[in-house]
């Protein structure tokens, strides 16, 4: 009866497929943001071609450069994944920074204080980091789930608390002798092995990629993943439909925190080999951007992290070859985030304003609709 | 410790928070989680210092600061309202872009890395309020701040008046609570949202100018030190009510002022003392959370205390 | 009598959503002083056509003439300025604001400095309210009002803006008979004052009762515009659906009753603002019967059902589903054997931003479980079958539920819940917003379920519905069951009287006053 | 022509401390030696090694870094690129590798001097210290300052505070005013960009600040008592010069103390008359004693030698001094 309503498959062109639209829109957005970046570079009196050339060659061409990019992207995969899975379930865990710090401290402590064979020691350190991040997510999660306290505010508070507390421990309590505020070096049995002198990229990267794969499967192929998505889309509905929203939300928040903690483990066990006070230049916040670039899709997280990592990795080469500073790269990165955040749907691009979309007819992006007000 | 001195300092410490929070709560009331306050402030802080350095005029500096922050807020407004970007995502991008951009501009325009100070920048005079000055305790706390401090605190009743007494305020609040209702009643929802976004730019512009011109007299990269985020916490805490928001900001300022003064007295580790404002806030969140949860469950509402 | 010139003419209006054409060359004219009913199946395009007229949706073709002049509204603003008003079915009100604030929004009276003139707002509100025989108080908070009053607020909003053309989109779907009668009085008053009224409904009785002319929509076209005097309900139904429709379900008398599958004893519960909403209520629904719960909105039905479903904490009392006490979460209760069609489909019953297959899978998840994994393929396949079987128009399994017309959204809920293998079925307003063809099939399914030995509990504000399917009718008034009647021994008049509390004879002898305090 | 790569610590340029001072050295080398240089600013300690390694792969004549955290990365990279010259400024006394020149700045001596001046000049008998972060490198300044003050006047009180950030001038001002409220009329700022706030606080409260690293007397003439100048620029310059004239001595550790003009209490037109003439004369005496080794300042690497000479501090020992022995 509804013949008139459904579109006959024959009329479907490839441009009508949603995946194509998404990818095309992302590519166009990337292009636009690079154009905007080019304007900025021009304003700084440099040649955009040269700058982009250096950024690309400095991050992707040649083994040393590529390895550095891998090193830069590793923590971002973890934090990006952590943010992505929480946002997909409607929970704005922006506390990845703090969770990572606590996870790192736990990994660093277990890494040096315990002596065990590698086969046990390394997993134990990872577990410690996971638990550390999880514990740090516990308060925002419990407050959110049981008392309906906005998790964004709590996370905003938990991040500096984590920084100060780990700072206290690594400065006054557990500090290794020496001029740096750090814990003693971890045992070799706890190390994630690196690949080359040129970079601290380590086996943690592989672990991160596997984790992304696992969560991609969890999201689309498991009961939990389905339930997480439903609570993200409409929690009341999920609850009505039989999902134990509180329990699921709690789990997903804690798992998210744990994964952010693993970012800390990657740093400590693979890159620093000891817990360094205040080591993060903001991987937790970059993780939010990465997750958003990836549209909260675990499979896209490594790609987004690659983009961020490549820009960071190319940054050093750019600085070596030109007089430009690291701040340029930061601006370029977030221009990309800003432009990609704009929902340039394929239709919009294709038809410009002649397409009169109904209000709200755009498919809303996944993730929590973080709105002010009723939280 | 001199309690009056601490209170005086708390007023000063919370002033940038009040500016940012008053701006942020307008867009909050209009239903937007505008996280970019820090970005607006850093741009303004820079613009203020640059202008003051070149022109030597404080008035002009504030004007340019406000303009700069407003332009940035307009950018965020266009992206969220015209291009359908998520305001939270776009806001985060704006913050980090603003940090990077001001660092680039600092080098490009003022030729400095990191910090800029200049003797060409006039200082904000402090004002001794005629009558209030001589009131015992109050005078010591309230009198003797710079003009911008008074502007910030006068903004609180002003913002409250606008929100609760004017036509515009009614529309803002309606747009925030029931955008569909507002749209159906012929209110241009996007325009109202855009206005509050611009206003939060304006107020953060004052906040940034205060930070760089009045609080201190210099610019440093990322000198906002995440005060915008604290302001957001205050707004959420007080559910966007101007008076309560300002009170939370003041509380935070008080805790900070206290934590700054405790090392001299206690000799305790600075990291632990610096925890105080954050821990106080979290504790307050927990207490308030418990109380609302209890009153909620008392009358049994939805079992599910979600949104 | 010469026909008056139309206020509004819509000529060959077309509305496309992407590749899909929702309105094809629709022509309609509206005359001053008339009540013009717009009827049609779910998804026929009624709401869309009116949204175009009101400027909520831009049209893709054709023209709209207002008093002969072509107009093109880019937003409701312009339509409002031109004298068009809309009373949407899903009220667009800000619940924490007062009636007056909601009404004046958009054209607020002000004093100097753009200050709100609250006094004038209140006066003007009260004055219009009086003029059209409405009874809302300007100072009341909208969230505290009953549905009928909220609708009055919506009407006042349009009148306050001096609308001459008023569009009512399914205004009666949630009203009680009394409220409906009052609404019709208001509509007649308005029409008598020279206003034009467009009235969308699925209830053909109402169409015949109140309208002057009737336009029938089918698949995006206006297939006929008729004079009320010339038609019968059967004719309209046939035009809409394309076949004749049985307006009342024939059902066999119930076979013998089984055990009570829903058993409630001394239930007390509080409402959103802490008031006693359900007051020492007891009832049973037994296997093999359909029990209808009648009552004016806001007498505790919502809270009662939420308690049963597990969505609301109860203050005291016991609820048993299939002989076992209810559990902690709605999920537990579903496991006990509950299927539940909620009234609030936009927030509770559906996730509008999820695909249909997801909406259809929830509550059936266990059947797709494979260890920790979910057989999504099977879930999607089943969703496709349900869409087919329940005739959800415009449904593809990946389409967002929010893009369906209201009636079709309802069908999705029904499809999901009534296919649960659950002995107890609770259906709130099961046919709200669905067209007569679909009402028929929904009712038939409910009766089939009863005949299969399940217990069916229907909560509805629509007495026609209650009477057409119930075996037994309970009436709820102020949180208590005030009547328990066999369907064949009573009539709408009697039930209506109980609903109004006129025959307030509590069954259990408790005081009729609402003094009981729930601790 | 000499090509130089400068690798900053993770705090980067604009720290108003060793990174900026190094940059000043680079600029001087550019002017005087015609050297060409680039500045690379890693964002984190973990990026040091890869940055150094990739720079070593280019054709720089010397790669100069700073920060204690760069010692290990530079050692690893230097060993892998034995023909590349490296320099590391302002670190510890141990040699790093055969192709690395490292330097030690005796900033404790300079801090000792300004502490001594502060104790002589204070009118309240209380002086303050505002550090950027609670880290050993900053403690090193405090220890010198503390002993200098105690030597000048055993009864002086020294308030030790840390703002927790090198980039929050507003916070620096807050801490300064708090110290002032506790009676400190002279505050030594060792806090990077935060120091600017300390100086600002001094201006506002009518007290004095002591600048650090570069000569900051000019920043608020009349309010900056003096600056503890730390010539990291000279260290960087000297390294480049040694490459220029082929006198580069890999594996050596160079000291820059009072004797080498590596540290000083800056006197110029901006602080003229702020310090009493008799104090200045005593300072000269003291300087001589330090140069002669008559006084050994308890230092960061070896606290006890100095402590023996100076005796146990007469007041409760501040935590950073207590903890210094673990360094
Ligand atoms: N924004 C939209 N995007 C895509 N399709 C839409 C949109 N709005 C409506 N439609 C489709 O247009 C058709 C007409 O919908 P409309 O809501 O006008 O029907 P209706 O006659 O009001 O039905 P009901 O009686 O169920 O309310 C439906 O098939 C619906 O799915
Ligand atoms: N996000 C959306 N995407 C696609 N279509 C939408 C969306 N939101 C609303 N619509 C369409 O807009 C139309 C108007 O919505 P409205 O709220 O009037 O529903 P309705 O169809 O009248 O509901 P009901 O049947 O309950 O009366 C609906 O037909 C709906 O299909
Ligand atoms: Mg409709
Ligand atoms: Mg409908």
């Amino acid at each position: 009866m509804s013949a008139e309503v459904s579109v006959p498959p024959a009329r479907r062109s490839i441009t009508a497929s949603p995946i194509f639209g998404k990818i095309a829109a992302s590519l166009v957005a990337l292009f636009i943001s690079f154009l905007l970046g080019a304007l900025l570079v021009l304003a700084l009196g440099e040649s955009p071609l040269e700058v982009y050339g250096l950024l690309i060659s400095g991050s992707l061409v040649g083994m040393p450069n590529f390895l550095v990019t891998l090193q830069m992207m590793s923590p971002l995969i973890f934090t990006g994944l952590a943010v992505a899975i929480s946002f997909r379930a409607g929970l704005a865990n922006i506390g990845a920074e703090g969770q990572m710090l606590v996870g790192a401290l736990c990994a660093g402590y277990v890494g040096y204080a315990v002596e065990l064979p590698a086969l046990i020691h390394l997993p134990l350190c990872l577990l410690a980091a996971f638990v550390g991040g999880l514990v740090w997510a516990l308060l925002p999660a419990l407050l959110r789930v049981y008392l309906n306290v906005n998790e964004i505010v709590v996370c905003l508070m938990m991040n500096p608390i984590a920084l100060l507390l780990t700072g206290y421990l690594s400065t006054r309590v557990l500090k290794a002798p020496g001029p740096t505020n750090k814990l003693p070096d971890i045992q070799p049995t706890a190390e994630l092995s690196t690949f080359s002198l040129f970079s601290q990229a380590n086996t943690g990267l592989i672990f991160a990629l596997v984790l992304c794969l696992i969560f991609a499967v969890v999201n689309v192929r498991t009961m939990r993943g389905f339930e997480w998505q439903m609570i993200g889309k409409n929690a009341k509905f999920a609850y009505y439909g039989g999902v134990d929203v509180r329990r699921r939300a709690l789990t997903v928040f804690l798992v998210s925190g744990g994964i952010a903690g693993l970012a800390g483990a990657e740093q400590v066990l693979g890159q620093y080999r000891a817990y360094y006070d205040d080591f993060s230049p903001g991987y937790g916040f970059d993780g939010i951007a990465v997750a958003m670039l990836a549209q909260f899709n675990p499979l896209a997280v490594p790609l987004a992290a690659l983009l961020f990592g490549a820009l960071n990795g190319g940054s050093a080469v750019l600085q070596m070859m030109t007089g430009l500073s690291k701040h340029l790269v930061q601006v370029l990165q977030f221009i990309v985030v800003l432009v990609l955040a704009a929902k340039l749907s394929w239709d919009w691009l294709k038809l410009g304003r002649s397409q009169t979309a109904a209000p709200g007819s755009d498919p809303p992006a996944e993730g929590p609709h973080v709105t002010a007000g009723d939280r | 410790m001199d309690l009056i001195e601490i209170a005086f300092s708390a007023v000063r410490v919370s002033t940038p928070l009040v500016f940012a929070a008053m701006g942020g709560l307008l867009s909050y009331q209009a239903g937007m989680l505008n996280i970019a306050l820090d970005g607006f402030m850093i741009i303004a802080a820079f613009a203020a210092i640059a202008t003051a350095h070149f022109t030597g005029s404080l008035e002009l500096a504030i004007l340019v600061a406000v303009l700069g922050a407003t332009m940035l807020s307009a950018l965020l407004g266009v992206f969220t309202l015209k291009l359908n970007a998520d305001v939270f995502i776009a806001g985060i991008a704006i913050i980090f872009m603003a940090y990077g951009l001001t660092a680039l501009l600092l080098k490009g325009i003022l030729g400095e890395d990191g910090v800029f100070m200049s003797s060409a920048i006039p200082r904000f005079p402090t004002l001794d309020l005629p009558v209030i000055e001589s009131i015992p305790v109050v005078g010591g706390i309230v009198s003797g701040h710079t003009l911008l401090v008074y502007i910030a605190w006068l903004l609180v009743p002003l913002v409250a008046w606008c929100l609760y007494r004017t036509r515009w305020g009614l529309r803002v609040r309606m747009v925030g609570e029931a955008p569909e209702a507002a749209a159906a009643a012929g209110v241009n929802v996007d325009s109202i949202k855009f206005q509050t976004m611009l206003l939060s730019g304006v107020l953060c512009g004052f906040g940034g100018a205060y930070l760089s011109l009045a609080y201190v007299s210099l610019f440093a990269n990322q000198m906002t030190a995440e005060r915008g985020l604290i302001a957001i916490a205050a707004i959420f805490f007080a559910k966007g009510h101007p008076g309560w928001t300002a009170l939370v900001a003041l509380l935070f300022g008080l805790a900070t002022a206290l934590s700054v003064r405790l090392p001299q007295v206690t000799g305790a580790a600075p990291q632990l003392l610096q925890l105080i404002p954050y821990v106080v806030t979290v504790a307050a969140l927990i207490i308030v959370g418990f109380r609302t949860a209890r009153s909620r469950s008392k009358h049994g509402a939805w079992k599910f205390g979600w949104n | 009598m010469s026909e008056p010139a139309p206020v509004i003419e819509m000529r060959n209006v077309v509305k496309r959503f992407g590749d899909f054409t929702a309105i094809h060359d629709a022509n309609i004219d509206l005359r001053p002083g008339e009540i013009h009913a717009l009827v049609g199946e779910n998804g026929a395009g009624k709401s869309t056509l009116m949204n175009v007229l009101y400027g909520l949706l831009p049209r893709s073709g054709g023209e709209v003439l207002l008093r002969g002049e072509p107009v093109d509204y880019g937003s409701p603003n312009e339509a409002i300025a031109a004298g068009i008003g809309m009373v949407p079915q899903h009220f667009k009100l800000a619940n924490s604001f007062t009636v007056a604030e909601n009404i004046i929004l958009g054209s607020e009276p002000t004093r100097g400095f753009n200050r709100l003139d609250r006094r004038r707002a209140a006066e003007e509100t009260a004055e219009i309210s009086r003029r059209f025989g409405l009874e809302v108080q300007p100072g009341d908070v909208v969230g505290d009002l009953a549905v009928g009053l909220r609708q009055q607020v919506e009407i006042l909003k349009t009148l306050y803006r001096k609308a001459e053309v008023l569009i009512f989109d399914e205004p009666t779907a949630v009203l009680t008979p009394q409220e409906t009668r009052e609404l019709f009085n208001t509509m007649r008053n308005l029409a008598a004052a020279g206003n034009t009224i467009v009235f969308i409904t699925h209830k053909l009785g109402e169409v015949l009762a109140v309208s002057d002319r009737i336009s029938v929509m089918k698949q995006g076209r206006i297939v006929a515009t008729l004079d009320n005097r010339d038609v019968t309900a059967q004719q309209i139904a046939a035009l809409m659906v394309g076949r004749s429709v049985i307006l009342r379900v024939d059902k066999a008398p119930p076979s013998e009753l089984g055990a009570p599958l829903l058993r409630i004893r001394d239930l007390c519960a509080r409402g959103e603002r802490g008031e006693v909403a359900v007051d020492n209520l007891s009832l049973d629904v037994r296997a093999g019967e359909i029990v209808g719960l009648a009552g004016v909105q806001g007498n505790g039905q919502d809270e009662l059902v939420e308690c049963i479903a597990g969505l609301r904490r109860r203050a005291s009392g016991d609820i048993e589903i299939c002989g076992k006490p209810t559990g902690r979460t709605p999920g537990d209760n579903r496991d006990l054997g509950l299927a539940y069609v909620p009234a609030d489909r936009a927030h509770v019953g559906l996730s509008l931003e999820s695909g249909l297959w997801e909406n259809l899978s929830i509550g059936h998840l266990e059947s797709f479980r494979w260890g920790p994994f979910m057989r999504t393929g099977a879930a999607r396949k089943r969703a496709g079958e349900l869409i087919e079987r329940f005739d959800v128009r415009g449904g593809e399994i990946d389409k967002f539920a929010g893009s369906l017309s209201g009636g079709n959204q309802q069908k999705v809920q029904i499809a999901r819940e009534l296919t649960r293998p659950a002995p107890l079925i609770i259906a709130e307003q099961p046919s709200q917003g669905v067209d007569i063809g679909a009402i028929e099939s929904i009712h038939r399914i409910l009766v089939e379920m009863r005949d299969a030995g399940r217990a069916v509990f229907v909560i509805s504000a629509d007495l026609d519905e209650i009477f057409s399917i119930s075996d037994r009718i309970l009436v709820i008034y102020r949180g208590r069951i005030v009547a328990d009647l066999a369907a064949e021994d009573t009539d709408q008049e009697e039930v209506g009287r109980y609903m109004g509390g006129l025959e307030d004879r509590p069954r259990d002898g408790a005081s009729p006053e609402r003094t009981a305090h729930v601790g | 022509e000499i090509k130089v790569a400068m690798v900053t610590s993770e705090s980067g340029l604009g720290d108003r401390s060793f990174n900026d001072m190094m940059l000043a050295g680079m600029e001087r080398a550019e002017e005087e030696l015609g050297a060409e240089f680039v500045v690379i600013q890693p964002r984190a300690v973990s990026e040091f090694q890869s940055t150094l390694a990739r720079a070593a792969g280019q054709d720089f004549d010397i790669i100069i870094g700073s920060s204690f955290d760069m010692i290990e990365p530079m050692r690893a990279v230097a060993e892998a690129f034995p023909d590349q010259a490296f320099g590391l400024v302002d670190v510890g006394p141990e040699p790093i590798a055969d192709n690395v020149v490292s330097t030690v700045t005796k900033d404790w001596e300079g801090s000792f001097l300004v502490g001594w001046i502060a104790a002589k000049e204070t009118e309240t008998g209380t002086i303050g210290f505002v550090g950027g972060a609670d880290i050993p490198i900053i403690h090193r300044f405090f220890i010198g300052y503390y002993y200098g003050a105690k030597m000048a006047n055993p009864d002086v009180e020294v308030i030790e505070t840390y703002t927790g950030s090198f980039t929050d001038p507003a916070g620096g001002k807050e801490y300064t005013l708090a110290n002032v409220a506790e009676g400190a009329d002279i505050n030594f700022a060792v806090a990077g960009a935060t120091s600017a706030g300390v100086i600002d606080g001094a201006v506002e409260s009518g007290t004095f600040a002591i600048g650090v690293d570069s000569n900051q007397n000019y920043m608020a003439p009349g309010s900056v008592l003096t600056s503890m100048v730390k010539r990291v620029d000279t260290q960087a310059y000297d390294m480049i010069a040694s490459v220029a004239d082929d006198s580069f001595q890999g594996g050596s550790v160079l000291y820059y103390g009072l004797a080498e003009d590596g540290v000083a209490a800056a006197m110029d037109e901006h602080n003229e008359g702020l310090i009493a003439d008799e104090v200045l004369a005593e300072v000269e005496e003291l300087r001589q004693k330090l140069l002669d080794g008559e006084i050994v300042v308890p230092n960061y690497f070896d606290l006890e030698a100095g402590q023996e000479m100076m005796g146990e501090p007469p007041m409760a020992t501040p935590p950073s001094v207590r903890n210094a022995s673990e360094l």
Side-chain angles (χ1 to χ4, degrees), chain C residues 12-13 81 147 155 171 223 229 295 306 309 376 386 405 432:
Chain C
N12 299 324
V13 169
V147 184
I155 297 172
V223 292
R229 285 163 299 191
E306 283 167 9
T376 34
L386 287 182
S405 80
Q432 66 172 321

Side-chain angles (χ1 to χ4, degrees), chain B residues 105-126:
Chain B
L105 289 174
L106 182 63
K107 181 77 185 167
I109 296 180
L110 299 174
E112 287 271 1
D113 277 302
V115 193
F116 179 81
M117 285 181 98
S118 145
S119 49
I121 300 171
R123 299 191 77 86
F124 254 100
T126 55

Side-chain angles (χ1 to χ4, degrees), chain A residues 358, chain C residues 17 20 22 41-48 170 202 403-407 433:
Chain C
F17 293 108
F20 168 65
E41 277 185 297
N42 292 133
K46 306 176 295 291
S47 301
T48 306
E170 299 186 44
H202 291 293
S403 74
L404 294 183
S405 80

Side-chain angles (χ1 to χ4, degrees), chain C residues 173-241:
Chain C
V174 289
L175 297 187
T176 58
Q178 288 89 333
E179 286 170 328
T180 303
R181 267 199 299 277
E182 282 162 29
L183 174 67
F184 287 170
N185 281 333
T186 310
M187 283 165 61
R188 288 194 194 98
N189 287 345
L190 289 167
N195 297 305
T196 305
I197 289 170
V198 182
F199 173 46
I200 301 178
T201 184
H202 291 293
K203 297 176 187 169
L204 298 185
E206 296 177 349
V207 170
L208 295 176
V210 77
S211 65
D212 301 313
R213 291 196 302 154
I214 300 155
S215 288
V216 182
M217 274 194 100
K218 187 170 164 58
Q219 294 183 348
R221 295 191 171 78
I222 303 268
V223 292
T225 299
L226 311 159
D227 204 293
N228 189 353
R229 285 163 299 191
D230 309 337
V231 287
T232 65
Q234 277 299 347
Q235 282 168 330
I236 302 172
L239 273 171
M240 280 167 56
V241 186

